Amino acid sequence: MTFKSLNSTNNAQSDYAQQMKNIQMKSQQDMLEKMKTDFTNYLTNAVADASSKESTAASQSKLQF
């Protein structure tokens, strides 16, 4: 984040508002990235779990016949 020299009160208020908006946008972006990562991990684990159960079921069915 960069800070620039401020010439007037209006510029200071405007710059402050922009910085707050930038911080809010960055926070939202970080949150979305975390949600994306969490969801990817959830899907990976769900597929691995389903694959494991399928493999176990296939092994058990072979033992029965």
Side-chain angles (χ1 to χ4, degrees), residues 24-35:
Q24 181 182 19
M25 294 292 286
K26 177 70 172 129
S27 296
Q28 289 175 349
Q29 182 181 9
D30 290 347
M31 185 177 67
L32 288 173
E33 283 295 322
K34 184 185 180 321
M35 291 171 69

Side-chain angles (χ1 to χ4, degrees), residues 30-48:
D30 290 347
M31 185 177 67
L32 288 173
E33 283 295 322
K34 184 185 180 321
M35 291 171 69
K36 177 183 169 188
T37 300
D38 289 348
F39 187 63
T40 299
N41 291 340
Y42 168 78
L43 290 178
T44 301
N45 291 336
V47 169

Side-chain angles (χ1 to χ4, degrees), residues 6-61:
L6 306 172
N7 297 326
S8 72
T9 304
N10 283 345
N11 284 345
Q13 290 173 343
S14 176
D15 288 348
Y16 178 79
Q18 185 61 49
Q19 288 174 6
M20 290 300 104
K21 185 174 181 178
N22 290 347
I23 290 169
Q24 181 182 19
M25 294 292 286
K26 177 70 172 129
S27 296
Q28 289 175 349
Q29 182 181 9
D30 290 347
M31 185 177 67
L32 288 173
E33 283 295 322
K34 184 185 180 321
M35 291 171 69
K36 177 183 169 188
T37 300
D38 289 348
F39 187 63
T40 299
N41 291 340
Y42 168 78
L43 290 178
T44 301
N45 291 336
V47 169
D49 185 51
S51 178
S52 174
K53 287 179 181 177
E54 181 181 25
S55 178
T56 300
S59 296
Q60 288 176 347
S61 68

